[in-house]
């Protein structure tokens, strides 16, 4: 298989060394955070960072909030916010909202773990501090426990340069220590949760050890692997496939493990450089992104045999930070994935005001599509979770024996409020209710997700109409509702046609059945798009 070699779309000078990057995972704006690291001697950055020692220099860093913006002349990166900090080792988003807030954790060289909250109403003040935990040595990494399981009290695991590991719990905008223990003899470069069983933590250190810990049984490793031949500096659990774990090391090898047997990896691949960063793709279970330090960035396909499908070697410095962009590109008129139905609109030759307006409209469409897809999925899964709970009650079983299975069955259903769960809240036996109620509260706390998404879409539609009215003369309509539906006559029912919420000659676009069809007709771009995968 030939290896793709993509080219740069845009560049941005961070001044300090950029070592971590995270795309904002909650909308379609192509926004991302960059963490930087620099050693300063006498207040000035030194060209050769490797020759400086900690006694010679001060470690400083910055957080950048940037947008990757598509324009007619290509992509541009626009800085929205800059925050001066200590040198940054790691940044990670909590991929599930916590009490309605989108949170990011930042691990810094001064020993701090800083939690920030995102404010979508302001570009210049997008990130705002929430709370901080301070340790006595450099904080090298962090991970969130809630990648798969939603909770308002997520845990955060951190690793430190003195080999310590720390488990913290976020409650009411403050961090509380759960436990701390000596994990490694040298620097503990990385700590990560098993996203399927968050009580289990993995860690890697400069002592070339990969260790596993069950935080329920104390500071004793459940395994201690020496398979890597140098410092272990990257670990990530596959959040699509249970029991799959990827690890990377200065020995230039990526190992893929089955966590049920950690004696030896099931697959391995030499990427030709120290493996500082590993990230599984957000929707493709076998795609693994690798930051390989002195040998660029790579995408591995972890199937029956690990292969390299793409390599980016254009960067001439050390490859540290990397992430998958989850946003749809603006040239994709309408796209669909297995997990959600997304619509987007594209135009050409629009001024910046129009592009901004259209971006908001696309973002609102995606938000509604995600909300609807989640609602449909979780309603189907609800029946299975309730059947399991009922079986547990009927058999008089000790719930603790199936706690983990119960959490998986129930928590996958937690993103939308389901009437069945609210009924369960009132009818469950006291013992069961005490175990399940905290999880069910997550559902009850988000009953308006669909309503809010629909309101956001309507607002974005109105803004687009106002912009068109002010900026463009009304064109001759290039499409009618009949011409739209005639493209997919076998797929549209009479009811769906009736549910076309918005379509007239002034707006020149149609919106069918909540999210199904978007048609655009404006000067310079009279193309009509529809979702080819679903036929809507």
């Amino acid at each position: 298989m030939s290896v793709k070699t993509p080219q740069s779309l845009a560049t941005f000078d961070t001044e300090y060394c950029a070592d971590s990057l995270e795309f904002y995972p909650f909308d379609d704006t192509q926004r991302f955070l960059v963490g930087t690291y620099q050693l300063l001697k006498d207040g000035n950055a030194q060209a050769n960072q490797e020759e400086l020692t900690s006694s010679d220099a001060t470690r400083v860093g910055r957080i950048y909030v940037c947008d990757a913006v598509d324009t007619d002349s290509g992509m541009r990166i626009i800085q929205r916010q800059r925050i001066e900090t200590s040198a940054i080792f790691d940044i990670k988003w909590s991929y599930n909202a916590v009490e309605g807030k989108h949170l990011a954790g930042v691990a810094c060289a001064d020993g701090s773990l800083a939690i920030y909250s995102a404010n979508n109403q302001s570009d210049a003040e997008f990130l705002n501090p929430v709370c901080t935990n301070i340790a006595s040595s450099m904080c090298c990494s962090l991970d969130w426990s809630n990648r798969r399981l939603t909770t308002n009290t997520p845990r955060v695991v951190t690793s430190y340069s003195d080999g310590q590991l720390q488990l913290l719990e976020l409650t009411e905008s403050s961090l509380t220590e759960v436990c701390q223990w000596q994990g490694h003899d040298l620097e503990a470069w990385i700590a990560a949760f098993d996203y399927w069983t968050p009580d289990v933590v993995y860690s890697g250190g400069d002592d070339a050890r990969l260790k596993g810990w069950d935080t329920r049984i104390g500071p004793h490793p459940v395994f201690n692997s020496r398979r890597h031949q140098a410092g272990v500096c990257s670990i990530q659990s596959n959040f699509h496939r249970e029991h799959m774990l990827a690890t990377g090391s200065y020995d230039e090898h990526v190992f893929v493990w089955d966590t049920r047997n950690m004696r030896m990896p099931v697959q391995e691949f030499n990427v030709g450089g120290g493996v500082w960063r590993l990230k599984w793709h957000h929707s493709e279970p076998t795609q693994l992104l690798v930051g390989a330090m002195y040998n660029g960035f790579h995408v591995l396909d972890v199937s029956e045999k690990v292969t390299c499908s793409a390599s980016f070697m254009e960067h001439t410095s050390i490859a540290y930070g990397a992430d998958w962009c989850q946003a749809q590109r603006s040239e994709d008129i309408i796209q669909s994935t297995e997990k959600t139905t997304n619509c987007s609109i594209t135009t050409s030759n629009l001024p910046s005001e129009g592009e901004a307006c259209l971006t908001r409209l696309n973002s609102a469409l995606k938000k509604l599509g995600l909300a609807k897809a989640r609602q449909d999925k979780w309603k189907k899964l609800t029946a299975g979770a309730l059947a399991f709970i009922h079986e547990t009650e009927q058999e008089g079983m000790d719930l603790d024996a199936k706690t983990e299975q119960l959490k998986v069955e129930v928590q996958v259903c937690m993103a939308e409020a389901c009437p069945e769960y609210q009924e369960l809240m009132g009818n469950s036996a006291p013992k069961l209710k005490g175990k399940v109620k905290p999880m069910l509260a997550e559902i009850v706390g988000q009953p308006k997700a669909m309503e809010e998404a629909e309101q956001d879409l309507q607002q974005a539609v109105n803004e687009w109409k106002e912009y068109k009215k002010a900026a463009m003369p009304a064109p001759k309509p290039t499409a009618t509702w009949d011409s739209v539906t005639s493209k997919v006559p076998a797929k549209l029912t009479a009811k769906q046609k009736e549910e076309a919420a918005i379509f007239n000659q002034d707006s020149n676009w149609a919106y069918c059945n909540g999210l199904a069809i978007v048609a655009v007709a404006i000067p310079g771009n009279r193309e009509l798009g529809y979702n080819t995968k679903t036929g809507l």
Side-chain angles (χ1 to χ4, degrees), residues 290-424:
V290 181
M293 298 182 71
Y294 289 100
N295 197 42
F297 299 93
H298 308 279
V299 175
L300 303 184
D301 185 2
V302 184
S303 300
E304 293 183 4
K305 180 181 178 181
V306 181
T307 57
C308 182
S309 59
S311 294
F312 179 75
M313 308 298 292
E314 196 173 312
H315 202 292
T316 57
S317 185
I318 306 176
Y320 277 132
D323 198 14
W324 298 97
C325 178
Q326 299 189 36
Q328 290 180 305
R329 298 294 304 284
S330 62
E331 63 263 25
D332 300 330
I333 297 180
I334 292 182
Q335 291 186 336
S336 174
T337 69
E338 291 181 5
K339 292 190 174 182
T340 181
T341 305
N342 298 326
C343 299
S344 65
I345 303 172
T346 183
T347 63
S348 58
N349 303 317
L350 273 182
S352 58
E353 298 90 343
E355 287 285 358
C357 191
L358 206 53
T359 297
R360 287 193 292 272
L361 180 56
N362 283 334
S363 179
L365 282 164
K366 181 178 182 182
K367 181 178 178 181
L368 181 59
L370 287 170
K372 186 177 187 301
R374 282 198 297 263
Q375 184 184 60
D376 292 344
K377 176 181 177 181
W378 281 307
K379 281 186 176 180
K380 293 177 182 177
L381 291 173
T382 296
L386 289 176
F388 171 77
I389 294 168
H390 179 70
E391 175 188 345
T392 304
E393 284 185 300
Q394 293 297 312
E395 295 180 3
M397 299 170 63
D398 182 1
L399 190 64
D400 291 339
K402 287 194 173 182
T403 296
E404 291 307 317
Q405 184 181 351
L406 176 67
K407 286 182 179 179
V408 172
E409 293 274 1
V410 174
Q411 290 196 32
V412 294
C413 308
M414 284 174 44
E416 301 294 342
C418 299
E420 295 92 338
Y421 275 113
Q422 297 184 36
E423 182 179 350
L424 180 67

Side-chain angles (χ1 to χ4, degrees), residues 224-266:
N224 183 353
S225 174
R226 304 180 186 180
R227 287 287 174 177
H228 281 294
Q229 301 302 305
V232 178
C233 40
S234 55
I235 302 172
Q236 194 177 44
S237 168
N238 189 322
F239 38 87
H240 303 291
R241 294 184 174 177
E242 192 174 6
H243 309 305
M244 182 178 282
L245 181 74
T247 65
S249 165
Y250 289 131
D251 66 9
E252 303 184 353
H253 281 78
V254 174
F255 287 166
V256 180
W257 306 79
D258 183 329
T259 57
R260 293 167 293 189
N261 181 2
M262 293 297 293
R263 293 182 179 179
M264 61 185 301
V266 293

Side-chain angles (χ1 to χ4, degrees), residues 341 368 372 376 450 454 481 491-493 495-502 510-517 536:
T341 305
L368 181 59
K372 186 177 187 301
D376 292 344
M450 282 290 291
E454 289 171 352
W481 178 238
K491 298 291 185 180
L492 291 176
T493 65
K495 182 179 179 182
Q496 287 172 329
K497 292 182 180 181
E498 292 172 1
E499 287 177 347
I502 304 170
Y511 179 60
C512 171
N513 197 26
L515 57 101
I517 291 183
L536 296 176

Side-chain angles (χ1 to χ4, degrees), residues 66-243:
C66 298
D67 286 336
V69 180
D70 291 306
T71 69
D72 291 339
S73 56
M75 179 178 284
R76 291 188 302 127
I77 296 177
I78 301 175
Q79 176 186 317
R80 302 298 189 186
Q81 184 182 11
R82 189 176 84 177
I83 302 172
E84 303 292 334
T85 67
S86 175
I88 294 170
F89 279 102
D90 197 11
I91 297 177
K92 284 189 176 73
W93 285 104
S94 166
Y95 272 71
N96 280 299
V98 178
E99 294 184 341
K101 297 177 181 178
H102 299 158
L103 302 179
V106 181
C108 295
D110 63 359
S112 66
L113 167 67
I115 306 297
Y116 290 85
S117 177
N119 173 18
N120 285 311
Q121 305 304 312
S122 172
D123 286 340
E125 297 180 354
F126 177 72
L127 286 184
N128 296 279
V130 175
C131 58
T132 303
N133 179 74
I134 302 291
S136 58
S137 58
M138 293 188 296
C139 187
C140 298
S141 74
L142 77 127
D143 197 15
W144 295 85
S145 66
N146 60 342
R147 182 66 185 249
R148 294 191 71 256
L149 306 179
T150 307
T151 175
N152 279 334
T153 56
R155 291 186 171 185
V156 181
V157 64
T158 50
S159 66
Y160 296 91
S161 59
D162 61 358
Q164 291 277 316
L165 303 173
Q166 188 176 37
L167 186 64
L168 302 159
E169 187 169 85
L170 182 64
T171 55
E172 297 181 356
S173 299
S174 65
L175 287 164
T176 304
E177 181 180 302
V178 177
C179 56
Q180 183 170 343
W181 67 100
Q182 189 70 38
H184 295 268
D185 296 331
L186 300 173
E187 290 91 341
W189 290 124
I190 185 71
F193 283 101
D194 185 315
Y195 295 132
W196 296 81
T197 309
D199 290 314
V200 173
V201 170
Y202 306 109
S203 66
D206 213 43
D207 53 8
R209 301 296 182 90
L210 169 66
K211 298 183 180 182
W213 313 85
D214 189 327
T215 59
R216 296 166 293 191
I217 62 175
H220 308 289
V222 294
F223 69 82
N224 183 353
S225 174
R226 304 180 186 180
R227 287 287 174 177
H228 281 294
Q229 301 302 305
V232 178
C233 40
S234 55
I235 302 172
Q236 194 177 44
S237 168
N238 189 322
F239 38 87
H240 303 291
R241 294 184 174 177
E242 192 174 6
H243 309 305

